[in-house]
Amino acid sequence: MRNENQNRLTWFAIPYVGWLALFVVAPIIMVVIYAFSTEGGGFTLSSFARMGIYTVVFARSFKLALIATAICVLIGYPVSYFMAKEGPQFQKAAMLLIMLPMWMNFLLRTYAWMSILDNNGLLNQIFAATGIIGLENTLNGWLNGLCLHLNALFGLALNTARATGMTSFRMLYSQGAVVLGMVYNYLPFMILPIYSVLLKLDNSLLEAARDLGASSVGVFRKVILPLSLPGVLSGITMVFVPSVSTFAISKMLGGGTQMMLGDLIEMQFLGGAYNPHLGSAISLVMMVVVVACMWVMNRFGEGEEQAVVL
Amino acid sequence: MSRSPTWFSRLLMMLVFVFLYAPIFVLIVFSFNAANSNAVWKGFSLQWYVELFRDRIIMQSLSTTLLVSLLATVFATVAGTFAAIGLYNMRRRWREPLITVNNIPMMNADIVTGVSLCLFFVAVFGGWNAFVTWMEETYRLTAPRLYLGFGTLLIAHICFNIPYVILSIMPKLRQMDKNLIDAAQDLGCTWMQAFWKVVIPEIKPGIVSGMLIAFTMSVDDFVISYFTAGSATSTLAMTIYGMTKKRISPKINAISTLMFGTVLILLLIVNLREARQEKNAKARAAGR
């Protein structure tokens, strides 16, 4: 039953409804208008057509984001699973340890990897000191020699130009570095929702499954995995969306060479290639991706609220 | 779930923790390095901290960050509290679409939120500035022209903070007994008193946690600030981003160390307090 008080309290939301209309809805409508308009103001689809030039960027963004998300699932699921099996004290400490890096700005975390993966960075210093780079050089020289012989013997065209004079491995400014940066930054976003779903699993369900004759693999496959799927899905969304839209990580760890969707949008608004119409069109595509992710998540069940709060 | 930690599970978790903390550890260690390097140790020194505090741009952006975060947190907490109460008491038919709209900034990729606000501000300010020019030319009236800057930065921060405040207050409202206000009024409170003395204390934990989330979100934000701050204003994250264009800059290590230390201390305080409260609660329960 609604009463007078409820009606009165409803008015508290009115200013916020105005705020939402002004600063959430209007900007998004603006993006839509820009995406479908020309400089003069007429309707056009040319911004979407122009995105064709950037197919490579789209493909790279989705590829790297998918790889990063997959790695996060592969690491995050077992970690959450094992964590949920530990004692409460251990769980609390582990949760804190996983959350703590997230409180540091992601730029600083990414910068850390920049300095580690650098050609003169710590990792390369370690590789040089332990002789791994020298070993790789000798190995490459040996392989080159072998391939040279094989080519001469059988008329093959095997690669004989492997680098033999390396002083460092080139790790920074590669796709691998970008994926590493994404995994490093977003792994907690995968662990937390899966963990919170696993934690709430009813132990009696697992006992019942075992009593009814399921093997431990069977219990995992038929009970635990399906029940934890909402957590996995929200984890996937929470890793995939920021990964596919990142622009700082790809710029810092990928250099200028591994441009992603985020970089493309940034370029259209603040960079050299000023074109807000194209930028809006790409942003619109991004919004559609997010809505699709949300739709999938909502279809597969509850549990999204605590995932958002972290 | 059943408890049976194996050596394998412990090993995996160890590896993940090493993966998460090794880079931070390296940053911290080399912040005390005498040389301008993150790989070669040349002896202990505090010179990067000294340079950090002497750097006027960094200090300026630090104060901008703190100011915008504090203001945005205050605004967002107050507005979010009223909004949450209003939304909660709304008819379902209105509430559900509004909650969906409210969730947009949280769900959307940061860059899309940033870009949409940037477009909006640029277009509105462009119109306003043209109007001011027209007024000056025809009526000799003038008004200040508007540009991207601290104001737009603040609006953007409030924008992405309010949904988090609402999200943390909503569960508390749901837990609250709906008849509390009526009861308070029956006992002689005015409607306003009932609101301030019953509703607000009841949802206070939600307000506090929403406030904390809003503040950390504000301090941590880079992408949305980057698009809405304009060229003259810079938050700490934006300054750091500018600095990372040069490969190695140990001043960033020093910032990282200070930030990590601050967060660590804050978390420890919060957790110790929680532990103590739990203990007290247990002791009280046992004494009863």
Side-chain angles (χ1 to χ4, degrees), chain B residues 37 62 105 125 210 216 281-282:
Chain B
S37 163
L62 177 66
F125 289 179
T216 43
K282 258 184 208 161

Side-chain angles (χ1 to χ4, degrees), chain A:
Chain A
M1 275 300 285
R2 292 185 65 80
N3 61 27
E4 199 192 337
N5 280 329
Q6 274 182 311
N7 286 335
R8 231 180 283 177
L9 287 171
T10 299
W11 291 100
F12 282 180
I14 301 303
Y16 185 54
V17 173
W19 173 280
L20 281 179
L22 196 58
F23 293 120
V24 176
V25 178
I28 285 175
I29 291 174
M30 210 74 127
V31 168
V32 176
I33 292 174
Y34 264 78
F36 286 105
S37 68
T38 58
E39 208 128 324
F43 175 85
T44 178
L45 286 174
S46 64
S47 297
F48 291 91
R50 278 194 60 185
M51 278 195 275
I53 314 167
Y54 299 108
T55 318
V56 189
V57 180
F58 273 85
R60 184 189 294 134
S61 292
F62 279 91
K63 186 181 94 183
L64 296 187
L66 281 174
I67 294 174
T69 312
I71 295 175
C72 281
V73 175
L74 289 179
I75 301 175
Y77 197 95
V79 168
S80 328
Y81 180 79
F82 292 135
M83 220 164 88
K85 283 190 162 190
E86 294 281 350
Q89 285 297 322
F90 185 99
Q91 286 189 21
K92 216 171 170 194
M95 274 302 274
L96 256 185
L97 282 175
I98 286 172
M99 302 261 278
L100 187 54
M102 292 203 318
W103 288 52
M104 232 166 94
N105 197 292
F106 79 100
L107 292 170
L108 297 175
R109 285 178 274 153
T110 311
Y111 166 77
W113 278 108
M114 245 172 105
S115 66
I116 290 172
L117 297 178
D118 196 59
N119 282 351
N120 309 313
L122 194 66
L123 219 49
N124 265 322
Q125 300 279 344
I126 293 172
F127 286 153
T130 50
I132 291 178
I133 292 177
L135 192 71
E136 179 75 17
N137 282 335
T138 356
L139 207 65
N140 277 353
W142 188 75
L143 277 172
N144 281 346
L146 183 73
C147 289
L148 210 62
H149 281 296
L150 288 175
N151 285 353
L153 270 177
F154 303 109
L156 297 168
L158 296 169
N159 179 17
T160 56
R162 290 179 184 84
T164 53
M166 289 188 290
T167 53
S168 61
F169 291 131
R170 199 176 148 277
M171 291 179 287
L172 194 61
Y173 302 149
S174 65
Q175 297 197 347
V178 178
V179 171
L180 177 73
M182 290 172 178
V183 171
Y184 184 71
N185 277 302
Y186 303 131
L187 183 61
F189 290 123
M190 183 64 81
I191 295 179
L192 294 178
I194 299 179
Y195 167 75
S196 66
V197 170
L198 285 175
L199 204 60
K200 283 195 215 129
L201 267 191
D202 194 344
N203 211 7
S204 51
L205 277 180
L206 312 185
E207 277 164 18
R210 245 174 254 126
D211 287 349
L212 292 170
S215 64
S216 51
V217 177
V219 172
F220 179 76
R221 219 166 51 94
K222 297 237 165 101
V223 182
I224 299 178
L225 196 59
L227 284 176
S228 60
L229 210 58
V232 178
L233 281 172
S234 68
I236 288 177
T237 312
M238 286 167 66
V239 173
F240 183 75
V241 170
S243 297
V244 83
S245 66
T246 182
F247 80 93
I249 295 176
S250 48
K251 214 169 227 172
M252 287 164 76
L253 294 176
T257 55
Q258 310 295 339
M259 198 161 77
M260 300 209 14
L261 278 180
D263 303 287
L264 200 57
I265 296 180
E266 191 248 353
M267 257 172 59
Q268 309 307 323
F269 284 96
L270 300 174
Y274 186 72
N275 184 352
H277 300 280
L278 180 59
S280 300
I282 305 167
S283 306
L284 199 61
V285 171
M286 204 93 97
M287 268 192 259
V288 172
V289 170
V290 173
V291 170
C293 285
M294 293 296 144
W295 185 76
V296 170
M297 235 172 77
N298 284 336
R299 275 207 56 163
F300 282 91
E302 358 72 291
E304 70 267 44
E305 209 161 278
Q306 86 270 0
V308 173
V309 182
L310 288 180

